[in-house]
Amino acid sequence: QVQLVESGGGLVQAGGSLRLSCAASGRTFSRDVMGWFRQAPGKDRVFVAAISATGQSTYYADSVKGRFTISRENTKNTMALQMNSLKPEDTAVYYCAAKVSGDSFYYSYNYVYWGQGTQVTVSS
């Protein structure tokens, strides 16, 4: 069965860093866009970052541009999100996802495989 398993979340002070990872199994995603979304308490899930199948192209929400870096290692079937200069407004559950259909990296409905989510809490 296809699974995406996330790790690396936790509690960090504002200005600190965390690195999230996502390990895939049951399917190879080397031909697919992968991305990260986040959901704050009581809020909708929103786009954070995405990376092309080869890893050559990356895309970021304006709110995280310059602070977050998405990467992937297709030989390991893994993806990561390096988060620097964290702010309290980054507090959310972060989800990794794989896009195997659709014409846009931005919309969550184009991602059909999802991880369970990992909590990131940034204190003031």
Side-chain angles (χ1 to χ4, degrees):
Q1 187 172 49
V2 176
Q3 290 190 88
L4 300 177
V5 180
E6 301 159 350
S7 61
L11 175 64
V12 66
Q13 295 181 11
S17 298
L18 285 173
R19 184 177 178 86
L20 307 182
S21 63
C22 176
S25 62
R27 189 186 191 278
T28 299
F29 293 99
S30 60
R31 296 180 181 179
D32 305 307
V33 169
M34 298 188 72
W36 292 90
F37 291 75
R38 67 187 183 188
Q39 187 169 23
K43 302 291 187 179
D44 292 333
R45 189 175 302 183
V46 298
F47 170 77
V48 175
I51 187 166
S52 64
T54 64
Q56 186 172 1
S57 299
T58 57
Y59 316 89
Y60 298 94
D62 288 343
S63 59
V64 307
K65 193 173 299 181
R67 300 187 298 119
F68 290 11
T69 303
I70 189 171
S71 62
R72 68 192 298 166
E73 295 184 11
N74 284 341
T75 57
K76 303 291 186 182
N77 213 23
T78 60
M79 181 180 62
L81 184 70
Q82 178 67 45
M83 305 185 295
N84 298 328
S85 301
L86 284 162
K87 305 174 180 179
E89 51 262 45
D90 295 319
T91 295
V93 176
Y94 283 71
Y95 299 88
C96 67
K99 174 183 176 295
V100 298
S101 64
D103 61 355
S104 175
F105 61 84
Y106 179 82
Y107 299 105
S108 62
Y109 59 74
N110 285 325
Y111 294 77
V112 299
Y113 295 104
W114 293 83
Q116 79 287 352
T118 185
Q119 177 70 47
V120 171
T121 303
V122 184
S123 62
S124 301

